[in-house]
Amino acid sequence: LSGFGSQRVVRLMSSIYGGILDVIEARALDVFSARARLPTSGKLWRLVKVLLTPNPRHPPLLPERTS
């Protein structure tokens, strides 16, 4: 994907699905007794982390200050 926003979406969804996998692993891989879900707070935390983590392929959103 070439767009800056689309790469962030992929990073966000990867993080969210990774969180769901963590929930499944914490339940000893039991996916039949209850639905594995990530709370909204966990999704929002992952969103903040993705938005604040710079993408190595693109320059930062704000230019760096030079002394």
Side-chain angles (χ1 to χ4, degrees):
L1 297 170
S2 61
F4 185 58
S6 59
Q7 290 177 4
R8 281 189 167 172
V9 169
V10 170
R11 288 172 38 214
L12 174 61
M13 294 310 297
S14 173
S15 177
I16 289 174
Y17 283 115
I20 294 171
L21 180 60
D22 291 342
V23 171
I24 292 171
E25 289 174 345
R27 294 181 183 173
L29 304 179
D30 180 16
V31 295
F32 298 109
S33 64
R35 182 180 179 117
R37 61 181 300 275
L38 192 63
T40 303
S41 61
K43 293 174 190 171
L44 290 174
W45 176 245
R46 283 169 167 74
L47 172 63
V48 169
K49 284 176 35 176
V50 166
L51 290 176
L52 294 179
T53 303
N55 189 340
R57 292 186 172 193
H58 295 281
L61 295 177
L62 298 174
E64 293 184 18
R65 299 178 98 187
T66 57
S67 299

